[in-house]
Amino acid sequence: MTVRDTQTIFLADYQPPTFLVDHVALEFTLHPTATRVRSTVKFRKNPDSPVTDFFLHGENLNLLSAYINGVAVSPIMTDSGLTCDVPETPFIWQSEVEIDPSANTSLSGLYMSNGMFCTQCEAEGFRRITYYPDRPDVMAPFDVTIHSDLPYALSNGEPLGREGDTSRWQDPWPKPAYLFALVGGTFEIFSDHFTTASGKPVDLNIYVRDGDQDKCAFAMEALKISMAWDEQVYGREYDLSVFNIVAVDDFNMGAMENKGLNIFNSSAVLASAETALDANFERIEAIIAHEYFHNWTGNRITCRDWFQLSLKEGLTVFRDQQFSADVRGADVRRIEDVSALRGRQFREDNGPLAHPVRPESFVEINNFYTATIYEKGAELIRMLRILVGDAAYKTALDLYFDRHDGQACTIEDWLQVFTDTTEQDFSQFKLWYSQAGTPRVTVDESFSDGTYYLTLRQSTPATPGQADKRPMVIPVAMGLLNEDGSEAVPTQLLILTEESQSYSFDGLQGRPIPSLLRGFSAPVILQRSTTKAERLILLAFDTDMFNRYEASRELGRAVLIDMLCNTAAPDPSYSEALLQVLADETLDPAFRAICCALPSQDEVAQALVELGHTPDPVAIHDAHHKLSQHLAGSGLYVLRRLYKAHSVNGPYTPDAVSCGHRALANLALRYISLVDDAALATEQFAAADNMTLQMPALGNLVRTGHGDEAVQKFYSQWRHERLVIDKWFSLQVSSCDPTQAVAIATALLSHPDFTLKNPNRFRALIGALAMTPAAFHQPDGGAYDLVVDQLIALDDLNPQLCARITTVFETWKRYDSNRQAMMKAALLRIAAKPKLSRDTREMVSRLLQA
Ligand code: TRP
Ligand code: ZN
């Protein structure tokens, strides 16, 4: 495949823009099939650019007219835009184009969703709206006029009012085109107010479809808390008189930070007790915060080019993680963040799609909105903060905001503020941005005469295009425990910079138990052959809650691997240890719940790969089930007591404390259901007055083969709530007997509520099937075929989503030769589709290349 030769874009080829923009005026006449866009752009030659070629991006546009300084011109049209002769002095470009939003199924550019007009411009969607230098280092103030008979027509910045069918908006803050947004439609509005620290009033509005007004209160509260938090923690105030959020049903990702007009996937903003899970509330809070925080890290300071994407995304994820830790509890949030990192980013980093946090080339930028850019990017910021300390981090951030406000920046700019603040050298740290792959840290240790000797060695495996890796800066927070669990050496920081480093700790009473990588201080895989006895002590006594959780996972993985590789029986000491944690009322219920769920099936598969074994997802599923049953059988009494004690009475609230109780009660229910014929789940399903009770109960009924009637009942109860129906689709394929999943999914494909056009629905059915390991990897390959059939159908409609979901095949090299052959054939079948999109083609070729 030769995609790379023809379409690849390289960081090394970056050139500053030829022309800069001083002002943009856009005038829209909205029409579902024939929207007119007139643009008036003030251009000026960029003194920093040696070339003079004038080029404007444009895609799928019908150019009606073009003028320079009022004189009609006939530009030369190219594949990706247009070019024409322009004066050397500043000039005014005017054009009129016609576009067809109703034919736009890709959800990029201007499109229709349920009768509303809506835009998505990041990364390169603005060029589907009008001709423009669609690159993030061209920033300009925008004025927008919208003609439409719809009740609401919104854009970025300050509202200048509406007269008849004409609404006008003005965004005073220069911004790149990817932050442009426009919305038109019929809405209900949920409103509130915020007063900034310096006393400026801000109107807050959430625009939703009629019927959704009662699902906005939680997001609004989260927004106000986020605004106050960014003032208190980062000293950042909001900078417009209005902050609008619009909920859209058809949306490719979670949400988008358009200046003053955030657009949200309705699943990332709407929630009520009856329709949303605790986990949905948590996600909404985090995404509201994330998009709001982008106002400073992304909008006021943006990226010079898309290779710098992690500059805004890694930093903003880190900020939303800090926020969630503050409002919901740091220990449990850290565990959840790391578990997501390992589940998605480690998987990516150890497969054919591995790439650096700052990639050096891409074909389609949409394919680089990845766990590596986002989650690993956030880990890099966290490490920087650990390395320089909280105070210096704050000073560096103040300098960053001060120095770069209004600019389009690079990773170099970002690191420079740390250099200037601390006078440290970050050139080795910078390798984290350029080297892909998850470093392995191995541990050698010995003990004699009261001294503990520790040697840490690091190495990073080869990744596509990067054979040899240099040693990185790895902060390892660690402490030592005595055998009775008491603390021998409190937390301290070891900073690895070389391939191998040795440390010693003297004056010890006996051989200590090391607690390494506390708080998961670096995104690495720690390889140490810990004994069961040590893990049990860490689980019971470590002062670091993350490492207690870690000890529990390691125990669980070891037991499962022993069952899988040596046909061992479930180890009763593991069940006992978990039951002890579960019953320990001094521990936070949320922590107990997360600590005592078994390691996920994919986590076990990853661990087997690490040990050089070939994972069999069906066998893993069976071992998992057997171990759960063992735990349920041996702990039934404790589990029932736990269920009673933590069932929350009274009205539902989504605060962290009640979420923790429900998580623990639902975990107990999950085990109990394996041994009580689902009697308790039946009860909970019947009595549930909120989704966090109803849906897990239904999951247990389905998992234990008692679900048929309840599944129908759930559907008739919720058929008009599309976000609940998404859950209904997912649950049936992810909780059923995995041998039945393809048959069930096939039947659901012809359900009247299934559609390829809605990304949430596609993910709910096809995504869920592909993310349920034992169902996806059934030995007959039926699920591979089903998923590929649907991806091939999706590609014509929505390339971005298709490419993204194609990554479910990224683990194909892990499996046995039969599965590998079938997965490879599946990928080749996608590759052979006529007119395959550039997005999907790039993904498939990278997946096959390795
Ligand atoms: N910048 C957005 C965020 O991180 C995500 C985003 C990027 C996006 N491209 C998109 C959202 C395309 C929807 C569609 O919050
Ligand atoms: Zn973001």
Side-chain angles (χ1 to χ4, degrees), residues 203-224:
D203 288 334
L204 311 176
N205 305 298
I206 304 181
Y207 291 77
V208 297
R209 273 165 71 168
D210 189 17
D212 289 338
Q213 307 85 302
D214 58 345
K215 302 192 195 75
C216 300
F218 180 79
M220 183 60 87
E221 210 47 45
L223 175 59
K224 290 191 287 177

Side-chain angles (χ1 to χ4, degrees), residues 52-291:
T52 55
D53 310 354
F54 180 70
F55 177 79
L56 302 180
H57 295 104
E59 251 174 42
N60 280 331
L61 303 173
N62 180 12
L63 179 65
L64 302 175
S65 60
Y67 301 84
I68 286 176
N69 289 335
V71 179
V73 292
S74 304
I76 300 165
M77 312 308 281
T78 75
D79 282 356
S80 54
L82 62 74
T83 162
C84 74
D85 289 333
V86 297
E88 291 198 356
T89 50
F91 62 93
I92 293 177
W93 159 268
Q94 285 171 293
S95 73
E96 182 168 14
V97 301
E98 191 175 287
I99 51 182
D100 180 357
S102 70
N104 181 355
T105 58
S106 69
L107 314 185
S108 157
L110 177 68
Y111 65 94
M112 309 285 305
S113 172
N114 293 320
M116 78 183 253
F117 291 82
C118 151
T119 58
Q120 172 56 42
C121 292
E122 188 176 5
E124 298 180 335
F126 190 73
R127 63 190 63 182
R128 302 163 64 96
I129 294 174
T130 191
Y131 288 98
Y132 194 75
D134 187 8
R135 43 186 290 167
D137 54 356
V138 174
M139 298 172 84
F142 281 57
D143 285 355
V144 177
T145 303
I146 308 166
H147 308 287
S148 167
D149 54 10
L150 290 163
Y152 294 97
L154 315 174
S155 191
N156 315 88
E158 303 288 356
L160 299 185
R162 177 170 177 140
E163 273 172 53
D165 282 357
T166 301
S167 310
R168 296 176 57 229
W169 294 81
Q170 182 169 60
D171 186 355
W173 301 103
K175 67 167 177 291
Y178 83 86
L179 290 172
F180 168 80
L182 176 148
V183 168
T186 307
F187 296 105
E188 293 297 317
I189 310 176
F190 187 97
S191 298
D192 207 326
H193 302 278
F194 182 82
T195 305
T196 68
S198 64
K200 293 194 207 87
V202 184
D203 288 334
L204 311 176
N205 305 298
I206 304 181
Y207 291 77
V208 297
R209 273 165 71 168
D210 189 17
D212 289 338
Q213 307 85 302
D214 58 345
K215 302 192 195 75
C216 300
F218 180 79
M220 183 60 87
E221 210 47 45
L223 175 59
K224 290 191 287 177
I225 299 170
S226 305
M227 294 176 86
W229 188 91
D230 214 16
E231 291 179 347
Q232 281 155 23
V233 179
Y234 279 85
R236 299 296 119 199
E237 269 189 35
Y238 188 60
D239 53 9
L240 291 165
S241 73
V242 49
F243 189 82
N244 286 326
I245 289 177
V246 182
V248 187
D249 288 334
D250 302 290
F251 203 69
N252 275 342
M253 308 244 243
M256 180 62 211
E257 69 264 24
N258 316 298
K259 184 79 188 190
L261 178 55
N262 284 3
I263 298 182
F264 272 63
N265 186 322
S266 48
S267 76
V269 55
L270 302 178
S272 69
E274 295 72 29
T275 59
L277 296 163
D278 287 348
N280 300 139
F281 282 92
E282 261 185 60
R283 174 168 177 265
I284 288 167
E285 186 173 75
I287 298 183
I288 290 272
H290 179 97
E291 306 310 331

Side-chain angles (χ1 to χ4, degrees), residues 450-463:
T451 301
Y452 171 72
Y453 300 91
L454 175 69
T455 298
L456 300 175
R457 285 196 180 78
Q458 59 161 307
S459 73
T460 304
T463 50

Side-chain angles (χ1 to χ4, degrees), residues 285-540:
E285 186 173 75
I287 298 183
I288 290 272
H290 179 97
E291 306 310 331
Y292 176 72
F293 296 159
H294 266 316
N295 192 55
W296 275 94
T297 51
N299 302 2
R300 292 284 289 255
I301 303 179
T302 194
C303 303
R304 186 192 73 172
D305 55 71
W306 292 119
F307 297 101
Q308 322 294 329
L309 182 57
S310 196
L311 179 77
K312 75 176 176 81
E313 294 304 346
L315 178 54
T316 305
V317 170
F318 178 64
R319 277 153 48 71
D320 85 53
Q321 291 178 350
Q322 286 182 299
F323 167 80
S324 294
D326 279 0
V327 302
R328 299 192 85 87
D331 289 334
V332 170
R333 284 305 320 183
R334 183 63 184 143
I335 293 168
E336 285 177 353
D337 291 341
V338 174
S339 128
L341 179 83
R342 287 170 163 165
R344 309 195 300 123
Q345 201 277 326
F346 280 22
R347 177 177 148 121
E348 181 169 84
D349 226 1
N350 290 283
L353 300 178
H355 57 275
V357 171
R358 181 165 70 179
E360 256 129 51
S361 69
F362 62 74
V363 173
E364 171 52 61
I365 183 56
N366 284 321
N367 288 340
F368 282 86
Y369 286 75
T370 61
T372 297
I373 306 289
Y374 277 67
E375 272 79 30
K376 187 174 180 180
E379 292 299 319
L380 306 200
I381 316 270
R382 182 183 299 273
M383 283 192 289
L384 269 175
R385 184 157 171 270
I386 292 175
L387 289 167
V388 304
D390 297 1
Y393 175 80
K394 195 171 185 320
T395 312
L397 267 282
D398 287 343
L399 180 60
Y400 180 65
F401 292 122
D402 222 51
R403 183 183 283 176
H404 294 297
D405 187 12
Q407 297 179 1
C409 294
T410 61
I411 298 295
E412 282 75 13
D413 295 328
W414 162 254
L415 289 176
Q416 191 61 44
V417 300
F418 284 85
T419 309
D420 293 349
T421 301
T422 64
E423 292 176 6
Q424 289 176 37
D425 176 7
F426 291 93
S427 45
Q428 189 185 8
F429 184 83
K430 200 176 165 197
L431 289 172
W432 278 107
Y433 287 95
S434 58
Q435 283 191 172
T438 311
R440 308 305 199 259
V441 174
T442 58
V443 182
D444 271 320
E445 53 204 316
S446 62
F447 178 76
S448 67
D449 289 339
T451 301
Y452 171 72
Y453 300 91
L454 175 69
T455 298
L456 300 175
R457 285 196 180 78
Q458 59 161 307
S459 73
T460 304
T463 50
Q466 292 187 337
D468 299 310
K469 311 285 168 116
R470 282 154 53 198
M472 315 245 251
V473 182
I474 301 179
V476 178
M478 57 87 66
L480 298 177
L481 270 61
N482 293 314
E483 250 173 53
D484 63 1
S486 63
E487 192 166 73
V489 172
T491 301
Q492 49 182 274
L493 191 65
L494 312 179
I495 300 171
L496 310 188
T497 54
E498 285 156 46
E499 233 161 77
S500 166
Q501 268 164 280
S502 298
Y503 306 87
S504 62
F505 304 84
D506 54 18
L508 298 167
Q509 281 153 16
R511 191 183 179 103
I513 297 157
S515 167
L516 298 172
L517 211 65
R518 281 184 163 169
F520 201 65
S521 55
V524 302
I525 294 176
L526 189 65
Q527 293 173 330
R528 174 173 185 268
S529 39
T530 316
T531 67
K532 187 165 96 183
E534 285 177 314
R535 286 175 181 144
L536 287 170
I537 290 169
L538 289 168
L539 175 59

